[in-house]
């Protein structure tokens, strides 16, 4: 499973292609593969039916993105185990993992890979990457290859998640993980402030009231934290606006939609928390990683996050799972959603496509196997119990939830309110990173200037976003 740090490299990176986060230690994936399908590695399967599963006798070699590096010993061990298990069914399929230490999916490298057509046969992307991949003609339409014959649990995958991988009714990827944002809380500080960590705030008024109580503890503790730099401010402005039922871009996709009462409500509430309540701390211009450090050291009460932020804080910052909990995003109308997936390289042979889908089905889309083998993950001291990936429905969800709970390495009860009342997910706007860069100015203006003119900040941002959308 991919970490929050790597996923955010492109989700919240600057348009100038300078990453807003330092994630080097956790990244692990590949950026190159052979483009030659005529090298003798593949022989026809003998079936012209794209929807039929790969014939186990077919001999084929495929390159797969994001094999864990040696530094992630447990994950690499599990990868090798999964290859061996996969080969029991498909003994003639050679899996060639690609692993690149460092930020393999940082924007410059990803863009260069697509332009050079050097992506592996099965390559890793984020849900928001589909337009860029298609603009470079980089991914196969796999609609004909994906059915309940090749992906038996297909009917149990959330259709909204699959929908993020479609364009014009065509399917271009299969999901690995997904996330929705919620309110991450520091349970210790909630208790110290006389608040119930099992009942996190459900409205922004409640957030404001709780933040004041937590900040009242003193000792440099902030009640609520927000980003305002490196595109992360615009990303979180979007999340807050979504939570109130607003939009960043209108339904045409060509005009900004945030300079209205809801946008002003977000901005004015944050300005009041920062300057009237003094509940957000004096240090601002924060980006991804800063709030995690604050809450992990008991200096911050709450902020908006995805569940796997907690794993990063435990594994990299020395925090403990027991000290954190999550509730739904305040407001509860919608929450920003995203995730990651694999696509199949355009132009490879049908047998390679089938082999790639067979591998993805085994590794990422089979309850109890691959990434969903929770008992193995616990044995290997990997985190179990976070409410993501969370794309299963029906019987698959029941089975996976039970297995996850049985092997949990963290107190799953801390996420009960987050899971019990799920908020509808809403994907990022078009030209997201360029828009987030503009909206960073709104967030930084609000949080660094007591005399900020909210109306002017939003009006200026509206003009700039309209220019961005006009250049699509």
């Amino acid at each position: 499973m991919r970490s929050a740090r790597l996923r955010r490299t492109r989700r919240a990176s600057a348009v100038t292609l300078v990453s807003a986060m330092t994630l080097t230690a956790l990244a692990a994936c590949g950026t190159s593969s052979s483009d030659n399908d005529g090298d003798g590695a593949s022989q026809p399967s003998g079936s012209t039916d794209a929807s039929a599963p790969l014939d186990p006798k077919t001999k084929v070699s495929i390159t797969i993105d994001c094999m864990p590096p040696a530094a992630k010993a447990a994950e690499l061990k599990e990868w090798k185990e999964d290859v061996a298990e996969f080969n029991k069914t498909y003994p003639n399929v050679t899996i060639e993992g690609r692993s690149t230490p460092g930020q393999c999916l940082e924007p410059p490298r990803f863009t260069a890979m697509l332009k050079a057509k050097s992506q592996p046969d099965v390559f890793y992307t984020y849900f928001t990457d589909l337009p860029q991949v298609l603009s470079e003609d980089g991914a196969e339409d796999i609609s004909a290859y994906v059915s309940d014959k090749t992906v038996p649990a297909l009917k149990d995958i959330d259709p909204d998640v699959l929908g993020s991988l479609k364009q014009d009714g065509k399917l271009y990827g299969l999901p690995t993980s997904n996330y929705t944002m919620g309110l991450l809380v520091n349970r210790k500080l909630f208790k110290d402030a006389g608040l119930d960590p099992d009942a996190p705030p459900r409205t922004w008024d409640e957030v404001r009231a709780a933040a004041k109580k937590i900040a009242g503890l003193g000792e440099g503790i902030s009640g609520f934290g927000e980003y305002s730099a490196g595109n992360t401010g615009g990303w979180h402005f979007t999340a807050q606006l979504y939570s109130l039922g607003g939009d960043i871009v209108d339904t045409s996709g060509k005009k900004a939609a945030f300079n209205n009462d809801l946008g002003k409500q977000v901005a004015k509430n944050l300005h009041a928390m920062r300057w009237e309540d003094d509940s957000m701390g004096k240090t601002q211009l924060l980006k991804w990683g800063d709030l995690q450090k604050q809450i992990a050291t008991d200096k911050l009460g709450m902020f908006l996050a995805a569940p796997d932020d907690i794993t990063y804080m435990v594994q990299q910052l020395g925090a403990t799972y027991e000290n954190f909990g999550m509730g739904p995003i305040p407001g509860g109308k919608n929450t920003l959603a995203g995730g990651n997936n694999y696509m199949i390289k355009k132009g490879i042979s049908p047998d390679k496509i089938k082999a790639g889908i067979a591998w993805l089905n085994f590794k990422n889309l089979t309850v109890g196997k691959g990434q969903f083998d929770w008992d193995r993950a616990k044995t290997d001291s990997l985190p179990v119990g976070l409410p993501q990936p969370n794309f299963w429905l029906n019987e698959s969800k029941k089975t996976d939830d039970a297995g996850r709970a049985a092997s949990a390495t963290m107190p799953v009860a801390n996420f009960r309110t987050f899971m019990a009342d799920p908020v509808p997910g809403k994907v990022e706007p078009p030209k997201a990173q360029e828009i987030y860069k503009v909206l960073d100015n709104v967030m930084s203006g609000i949080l660094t200037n007591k005399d900020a003119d909210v109306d002017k900040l939003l009006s200026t941002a509206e003009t700039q976003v309209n220019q961005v959308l006009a250049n699509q």
Side-chain angles (χ1 to χ4, degrees):
M1 190 188 308
R2 302 295 283 175
S3 72
R5 298 179 86 196
L6 180 55
R7 169 159 49 76
R8 288 169 178 79
T9 306
R10 289 216 315 287
R11 191 172 77 188
S13 60
V15 176
T16 58
L17 303 183
V18 177
S19 175
M21 299 149 283
T22 55
L23 330 174
T24 303
L26 291 188
C29 64
T31 57
S32 66
S33 75
S34 170
D35 295 323
N36 182 9
D37 282 333
D39 57 6
S42 174
Q43 61 188 41
S45 65
S47 173
T48 58
D49 181 5
S51 66
L54 180 70
D55 185 335
K57 297 179 181 179
T58 301
K59 183 178 180 180
V60 65
S61 177
I62 54 172
T63 51
I64 309 288
D65 222 350
C66 298
M67 180 180 75
K72 302 186 77 172
E75 289 92 336
L76 181 58
K77 166 186 168 292
E78 293 189 353
W79 171 281
K80 292 178 179 179
E81 290 173 348
D82 287 337
V83 170
E85 184 68 22
F86 178 78
N87 282 149
K88 291 179 181 178
T89 301
Y90 299 103
N92 295 316
V93 175
T94 300
I95 301 293
E96 298 181 14
R98 294 287 189 260
S99 177
T100 301
Q103 299 174 19
C104 65
L105 286 188
E106 63 186 347
R109 184 177 293 172
F110 185 77
T111 298
M113 178 183 76
L114 289 176
K115 289 185 177 299
K117 310 298 182 187
S118 62
Q119 67 268 39
D121 298 323
V122 182
F123 65 101
Y124 180 91
T125 74
Y126 305 124
F127 290 174
T128 51
D129 289 330
L130 183 58
Q132 180 184 5
V133 173
L134 295 184
S135 72
E136 297 293 343
D137 199 26
E140 279 283 352
D141 169 14
I142 58 174
S143 305
Y145 292 88
V146 176
S147 68
D148 57 6
K149 297 178 183 177
T150 57
V151 182
L154 183 64
K155 68 181 186 305
D156 287 350
I157 299 175
D158 186 336
D160 289 336
V161 172
L162 285 177
S164 68
L165 306 175
K166 293 180 179 179
Q167 182 165 303
D168 300 327
K170 299 176 180 179
L171 181 66
Y172 289 95
L174 289 170
T176 299
S177 185
N178 67 318
Y179 73 91
T180 56
M181 293 182 71
L183 186 68
L184 177 62
V185 304
N186 180 301
R187 294 178 61 85
K188 176 183 182 300
L189 293 181
F190 261 63
K191 292 176 182 177
D192 289 348
L195 300 166
D196 183 358
D198 294 319
R202 301 297 289 267
T203 69
W204 285 105
D205 285 341
E206 291 176 359
V207 169
R208 184 175 177 184
K212 289 167 67 173
K213 289 185 177 181
I214 294 169
L217 295 171
E219 299 182 0
I221 294 171
S222 300
F224 181 74
E226 260 304 0
Y227 301 128
S228 54
N231 289 26
T232 55
W235 170 43
H236 270 214
F237 181 91
T238 299
Q240 289 208 31
L241 187 60
Y242 281 2
S243 77
L244 297 174
D247 286 299
I248 294 296
V249 176
D250 69 7
T251 54
S252 73
K254 299 179 180 179
K255 187 177 180 181
F258 56 80
N259 186 17
N260 51 30
D261 289 345
L262 290 179
K264 292 174 184 178
Q265 181 179 335
V266 171
K268 290 180 178 179
N269 184 62
L270 285 171
H271 189 268
M273 291 176 69
R274 169 68 178 94
W275 299 104
E276 294 176 26
D277 303 344
D278 193 23
S279 63
M280 296 185 67
K282 293 178 173 55
T283 302
Q284 296 299 325
L285 298 179
L286 305 175
K287 57 184 180 294
W288 201 94
D290 295 328
L291 296 178
Q292 287 80 357
K293 292 175 183 176
Q294 290 181 9
I295 202 168
T297 55
D298 297 332
K299 292 298 184 182
L300 175 64
M302 52 188 163
F303 74 104
L304 296 182
D308 58 358
D309 279 32
I310 300 173
T311 297
Y312 162 66
M313 292 186 292
V314 171
Q315 293 181 337
Q316 301 299 312
L317 302 179
T320 62
Y321 287 113
E322 289 74 16
N323 199 31
F324 304 108
M326 286 195 74
I329 193 168
K333 298 291 186 181
N334 292 292
T335 183
L336 195 149
N340 42 281
N341 60 279
Y342 280 90
M343 296 182 183
I344 306 294
K345 184 178 181 179
K346 182 71 174 288
I348 66 174
S349 71
D351 282 346
K352 285 193 172 190
I353 296 172
K354 288 189 175 188
I357 290 171
W359 167 256
L360 294 177
N361 173 65
F362 173 79
K363 180 66 174 171
N364 299 323
L365 298 172
T366 301
V367 174
K369 299 290 185 180
Q371 71 162 336
F372 293 108
D373 187 342
W374 301 118
D375 184 61
R376 178 181 66 174
K378 179 179 181 179
T379 299
D380 291 337
S381 299
L382 294 172
V384 179
L386 289 175
Q388 66 178 67
N390 188 32
F391 53 68
W392 291 124
L393 303 173
N394 309 318
E395 289 303 313
S396 291
K397 177 174 176 56
K398 293 178 183 178
T399 303
D400 183 60
D401 284 352
R404 197 181 313 220
S407 298
T409 59
M410 63 191 72
V412 294
N414 291 2
F415 311 114
R416 184 177 292 119
T417 55
F418 178 74
M419 295 296 293
D421 191 12
V423 177
K426 188 179 181 70
V427 298
E428 294 177 283
K431 308 287 280 190
Q433 298 307 325
E434 294 177 60
I435 290 174
Y436 294 165
K437 184 180 182 182
V438 171
L439 292 174
D440 267 3
N441 297 324
V442 176
M443 295 291 273
S444 62
I446 292 165
L447 298 176
T448 63
N449 182 5
K450 185 176 183 179
D451 299 319
D453 185 332
V454 168
D455 290 349
K456 184 176 181 180
L457 285 170
L458 289 173
S459 178
T460 300
E462 178 185 32
T463 298
Q464 293 173 342
V465 168
N466 284 337
Q467 291 172 345
V468 168
L469 295 171
N471 294 328
Q472 292 187 82

